[in-house]
Amino acid sequence: MHAIGVEKENLNPFQIAQQQIDAAASLLGLPKHVTEILKHPKRVLSVTFPVKMDDGTIRVFQGYRSQHNDALGPTKGGIRFHPDVTMDEVKALSMWMSFKCGVVGLPYGGGKGGVVCDPRQFSKGELERVSRGFMEAIADIVGPEKDIPAPDVYTTPQIMGWMMDTYSRLKGSYSPGVITGKPLIVGGSKGRNEATARGCVFTIEEAMKDAGRVPQETAVAVQGFGNAGKTAAKLLAEQGYKVVAVSDSTGGIYNPNGLDVERVSQLKETASILQYEDAQQISNAELLELDVDILIPAALENVITAANAERIRARVIAEAANGPTTPDADAVLRKKGVLVIPDILANAGGVTVSYFEWVQNLMNYYWSEEEVNEKLRTAMVEAYRAVRDLAGKYEVDMRTGAYMIALLRIAQGMEARGWI
Ligand code: GLU
């Protein structure tokens, strides 16, 4: 680990993903050529596309789609709309998708897309044109049997609906299986919207069972109040957990006696979470360091780093976000005895129900919400226990254990196909 202030921590997500691969691959004794394959995406497409804005001007947007590895099936992963999107970030996110699918045992490889934009500034029409423009730009390399996008940061079911429509028009046939996270009426799956959070909550339940803890005495802080964070807070509050703090990009609120999560969600829709009456306002940085039992980072990468890891007081971190913890922070947390349920396990519920959605699309036969949720529970609990047991056996943290399971599966797939 770097001494704080002496050497700057490397926060490049692509290099972090490569570091994580090395750590698990060396424990597995994987040959160097295997790790070399896994340390780079198979294909990265960079696109620019023009969009006419409401004021008549034309803006040119930059987007990326990275396809990491397709040994186990078509690549799969979301599309994020965010002003800070970079190619290295999208590459890393596609690698994490491969490992996420590997941990759960889904028949997919990893992909990810991103468009550099701030959708919060768009009108509905502009959002639609950007969404359709990006899908048109990547249409040649996606498809139900090639690469299947889904929602991610700041993208929604409606955006998936537009993208599915654009793809279907280009191909001349209705193709719901090209993208998941769609509105229900056009082939979405029941339970998909809540799936990332629900899956995360299943992993938390397993950790709580192992620790012999009950919800009523467990305080939770959630950083990020988007689809994953908001739903996780709601589900946990319903189960009796004390959700004491939440935040979004504008700041956070904290009440040690617990927040009324329904009320906070209402305010998020109508005004701002900061208008919540009965709480103290805190910054995102302060939220991460609160004295809570469970911390759920549910926003972006690199929020728990060498700079603040020492001050984290939570006993369990459940990573609903992708890449919130750096390797340097991981080392500190492990020394402190903090249990980190890694992103590729904790947030795998989203892609798991995306897989169910895709299966339903291919069959044209749709399941009840109970069926989806039960299948999700089985998948998450099995994955959690497999990672926990392997990590225990090798005396490594759960992230390394999860990587080991995923890398082994992908390596076996590559071997069976004669790539290695
Ligand atoms: N964007 C989500 C993730 O990071 C979901 C991906 C998907 O459903 O394909 O896991």
Side-chain angles (χ1 to χ4, degrees):
M1 201 199 87
H2 311 303
I4 295 161
V6 173
E7 202 181 325
K8 209 166 173 340
E9 188 180 11
N10 182 2
L11 297 178
N12 178 301
F14 177 53
Q15 285 161 11
I16 287 176
Q18 292 186 321
Q19 234 175 299
Q20 291 163 336
I21 293 171
D22 277 334
S26 77
L27 282 168
L28 288 168
L30 290 181
K32 192 163 180 306
H33 61 270
V34 178
T35 25
E36 268 318 296
I37 297 175
L38 295 173
K39 280 165 79 171
H40 304 277
K42 182 172 169 176
R43 168 154 71 177
V44 186
L45 181 67
S46 165
V47 297
T48 57
F49 54 98
V51 173
K52 186 178 261 179
M53 308 308 281
D54 288 350
D55 64 5
T57 59
I58 306 277
R59 265 180 67 187
V60 180
F61 289 91
Q62 167 80 61
Y64 307 100
R65 182 78 190 167
S66 170
Q67 300 172 337
H68 172 243
N69 181 291
D70 59 358
L72 299 177
T75 47
K76 179 93 192 77
I79 294 172
R80 119 177 351 189
F81 284 0
H82 195 279
D84 300 334
V85 163
T86 65
M87 189 195 271
D88 271 359
E89 180 192 32
V90 173
K91 278 159 72 173
L93 288 161
S94 73
M95 292 155 92
W96 289 328
M97 283 311 302
S98 285
F99 306 130
K100 201 179 293 185
C101 294
V103 171
V104 190
L106 305 177
Y108 287 138
K112 198 73 159 208
V115 177
V116 186
C117 67
D118 189 350
R120 292 163 296 186
Q121 316 283 327
F122 293 159
S123 69
K124 190 169 179 202
E126 289 169 339
L127 188 63
E128 175 172 354
R129 294 193 292 280
V130 170
S131 304
R132 290 185 184 278
F134 183 57
M135 177 46 99
E136 201 178 328
I138 63 167
D140 281 345
I141 65 156
V142 298
E145 274 147 21
K146 282 200 244 179
D147 180 18
I148 305 128
D152 197 78
V153 173
Y154 293 150
T155 51
T156 59
Q158 173 63 81
I159 291 174
M160 301 303 113
W162 290 324
M163 288 186 173
M164 181 276 280
D165 181 71
T166 293
Y167 182 86
S168 295
R169 287 186 198 202
L170 285 168
K171 300 293 158 185
S173 58
Y174 180 55
S175 309
V178 69
I179 202 161
T180 58
K182 301 177 293 293
L184 282 185
I185 191 74
V186 285
S189 175
K190 296 201 168 115
R192 174 61 187 87
N193 251 337
E194 301 77 27
T196 306
R198 195 176 292 279
C200 185
V201 170
F202 288 146
T203 67
I204 290 172
E205 278 172 10
E206 286 300 297
M208 292 292 104
K209 252 188 260 165
D210 287 345
R213 294 199 57 122
V214 294
Q216 286 69 21
E217 288 158 23
T218 306
V220 186
V222 185
Q223 192 223 14
F225 212 62
N227 180 39
K230 184 172 62 184
T231 314
K234 272 193 199 172
L235 293 173
L236 289 169
E238 271 166 31
Q239 290 187 24
Y241 286 84
K242 252 197 315 178
V243 178
V244 296
V246 302
S247 66
D248 65 12
S249 61
T250 64
I253 50 175
Y254 173 51
N255 180 337
N257 299 318
L259 302 167
D260 174 354
V261 177
E262 274 308 319
R263 171 87 191 125
V264 184
S265 306
Q266 250 173 26
L267 285 168
K268 172 84 186 167
E269 304 284 298
T270 53
S272 153
I273 63 166
L274 303 181
Q275 286 178 12
Y276 187 82
E277 300 79 5
D278 190 20
Q280 170 193 341
Q281 291 196 7
I282 55 171
S283 67
N284 268 283
E286 286 166 335
L287 180 139
L288 296 168
E289 296 172 16
L290 286 175
D291 187 10
V292 291
D293 301 294
I294 302 176
L295 172 64
I296 306 182
L300 294 167
E301 300 92 69
N302 293 338
V303 294
I304 304 173
T305 67
N308 63 358
E310 208 58 72
R311 294 194 299 275
I312 301 285
R313 283 183 283 175
R315 304 314 300 158
V316 175
I317 298 178
E319 297 182 333
N322 290 310
T325 310
T326 63
D328 284 359
D330 262 336
V332 176
L333 297 170
R334 179 148 175 82
K335 241 191 253 147
K336 284 165 59 108
V338 178
L339 176 72
V340 179
I341 310 174
D343 48 6
I344 58 170
L345 171 64
N347 72 34
V351 70
T352 300
V353 176
S354 273
Y355 166 59
F356 298 156
E357 178 171 332
W358 178 77
V359 168
Q360 292 170 81
N361 293 151
L362 300 187
M363 293 189 303
N364 237 316
Y365 176 72
Y366 289 84
W367 308 340
S368 70
E369 187 161 353
E370 292 69 46
E371 193 170 352
V372 170
N373 288 346
E374 241 352 90
K375 284 186 160 76
L376 173 63
R377 179 195 293 277
T378 306
M380 294 304 299
V381 169
E382 263 176 28
Y384 183 92
R385 292 182 184 168
V387 169
R388 178 199 59 195
D389 294 349
L390 193 79
K393 189 167 150 203
Y394 281 82
E395 295 178 358
V396 292
D397 57 18
M398 284 183 78
R399 187 180 321 280
T400 311
Y403 268 80
M404 288 169 75
I405 290 177
L407 288 184
L408 203 57
R409 274 206 179 112
I410 301 168
Q412 284 168 348
M414 295 200 292
E415 192 172 23
R417 293 180 68 163
W419 296 2
I420 55 174

